Amino acid sequence: MAVTNAASLTIAEMREFASFTAAEQRYIRRSLDIGLGRCDAFRIWGRTQGETAAIRSQYVAYQELKALRGAIPQESGFDAIESFIGKITRVAAFDLAQERIECFSAFRFLYERLLGADARPWLPSAFCAAAALPQIRPERRKMLLQSLSEAAATAPGWSDRAPSFYPEFIEEIAA
C-alpha cells in the first residue's frame, strides 16, 4: 500500500511539472542542476553567451541555498524569521526577475526541491515578498501575485513529505 501511495504521489508531481510552460520546465531543471550541484550547468544549459552569463549569476545567487536549508524557522516561533525571509526573498527575487517562472505553483515546485519540505510554509511569504519588489516589472508583478491562490496563501497546514520527483535534463535524440 505504501509503495502504491508513493508511486501515486510521484505521478502527481510529474503531472504538475508537465502542466508548467516549456520555459518554466527548462528553468526548473536548470535551477535544480545548479542549486543541487547535480552537474556542470554551463556545459548542459549554456547554449549562448547570454545563457552562460545568466547561469553564472544564478550560481552566485544560489550560494545562499545551503545556509537557507539549515535556517528554516519553526512555524510557531518568530525567531530567525528576519534572516531567513530576507535571504530567501533575495534568491526568489533573482529567480522571478529571470522571467521564466510564471506562477506560484512553478515557484513552489522549484523551491520545495531546492530547500526541502520544511520550507513549504514559508514559500507563499517568500513568493509574495519577491514578486512585490520594485525590481519586478509592474505588469509581471501583478501576474505573479494573482497566481497565488487564496488556498495556498491561507493554508492551515503543509505536508512534510519530501518531494520525490526531481526533473532532469534529457538530451534530444536525433531523428
Side-chain angles (χ1 to χ4, degrees):
M1 180 80 164
V3 172
T4 303
N5 285 341
S8 294
L9 292 171
T10 301
I11 290 169
E13 290 177 9
M14 291 172 148
R15 283 190 178 131
E16 181 180 21
F17 181 72
S19 74
F20 301 143
T21 67
E24 285 173 317
Q25 290 178 15
R26 179 177 167 77
Y27 190 79
I28 288 168
R29 287 191 310 264
R30 183 183 97 182
S31 298
L32 292 174
D33 285 347
I34 294 168
L36 302 177
R38 298 191 305 192
C39 64
D40 178 2
F42 292 108
R43 184 179 54 78
I44 291 177
W45 300 103
R47 299 178 298 188
T48 66
Q49 283 185 331
E51 282 183 345
T52 300
I55 291 166
R56 187 172 293 107
S57 296
Q58 194 169 9
Y59 269 113
V60 171
Y62 278 18
Q63 299 264 324
E64 297 282 0
L65 291 177
K66 187 175 182 179
L68 283 168
R69 287 182 197 116
I72 299 171
Q74 297 302 313
E75 265 186 82
S76 60
F78 289 100
D79 299 338
I81 288 176
E82 182 180 347
S83 64
F84 180 78
I85 288 294
K87 286 179 183 176
I88 194 174
T89 299
R90 185 172 52 244
V91 177
F94 171 85
D95 282 330
L96 295 179
Q98 301 305 299
E99 299 195 357
R100 300 291 186 271
I101 300 290
E102 302 292 328
C103 63
F104 175 70
S105 295
F107 172 85
R108 181 193 43 76
F109 186 94
L110 172 60
Y111 276 79
E112 284 177 354
R113 284 147 186 81
L114 289 174
L115 298 177
D118 291 340
R120 278 189 188 113
W122 300 99
L123 297 180
S125 298
F127 179 81
C128 287
L133 289 171
Q135 289 86 342
I136 307 298
R137 292 182 298 108
E139 61 277 358
R140 183 156 177 73
R141 199 177 317 146
K142 180 180 179 181
M143 177 196 68
L144 289 168
L145 291 170
Q146 287 177 339
S147 76
L148 180 63
S149 70
E150 182 178 342
T154 62
W158 298 88
S159 168
D160 61 356
R161 183 189 58 80
S164 58
F165 173 62
Y166 287 74
E168 295 185 36
F169 177 81
I170 299 173
E171 201 152 339
E172 290 186 36
I173 300 173

